[in-house]
Amino acid sequence: MENQVPEIFNVIPHTHYVLLSTILFVIGIIGVIVRKNVIIMFMCIEIMLNAVNLMLTSTSAYYSHSGGQIMVFFTMAVAAAEVSVGLAIIVMIYKNLKTINIDAFQKLKG
């Protein structure tokens, strides 16, 4: 059985997917480091997660191996759980502190 590169990679080379996912991951890192709003930081983490998903999906399609796509499926399931728990924590912190600024979270220390 011979692995053939899918037709889409003749139109859009694999390196473009790699560059796009790298750019998205860097944007996510910068957002987490620079921003003070917890919701924005949470969204930046999701951008990083989706960058990794894009990389896994494109690479698995390029090599005609389904392992990366299966990993993306599990990653999306974990991300859904992470979002629900994370947003619940953010809502509870907002109820107590009346702010979503990350600097105000210093008050949570025991």
Side-chain angles (χ1 to χ4, degrees):
M1 186 167 147
E2 184 177 317
N3 286 340
Q4 285 188 326
V5 175
E7 188 68 30
I8 188 70
F9 290 110
N10 293 332
V11 178
I12 304 171
H14 185 250
T15 54
H16 289 132
Y17 291 103
V18 172
L19 285 174
L20 177 64
S21 63
T22 303
I23 290 169
L24 286 173
F25 195 81
V26 169
I27 288 172
I29 288 175
I30 291 171
V32 168
I33 292 172
V34 172
R35 300 302 298 247
K36 298 286 185 180
N37 188 328
V38 175
I39 303 246
I40 301 291
M41 292 173 68
F42 204 65
M43 289 177 11
C44 290
I45 291 170
E46 291 297 320
I47 289 173
M48 289 192 294
L49 193 62
N50 285 325
V52 171
N53 286 343
L54 176 64
M55 174 71 90
L56 285 171
T57 304
S58 64
T59 302
S60 70
Y62 183 76
Y63 289 110
S64 300
H65 191 271
S66 62
Q69 295 170 6
I70 293 170
M71 186 68 180
V72 167
F73 176 74
F74 287 117
T75 304
M76 290 173 66
V78 171
E82 173 226 341
V83 165
S84 63
V85 171
L87 286 177
I89 290 171
I90 290 171
V91 167
M92 290 306 296
I93 289 173
Y94 180 75
K95 280 184 175 181
N96 291 327
L97 300 177
K98 302 295 182 204
T99 183
I100 51 174
N101 189 339
I102 194 74
D103 292 333
F105 289 9
Q106 295 291 326
K107 296 177 183 176
L108 296 177
K109 290 182 179 177

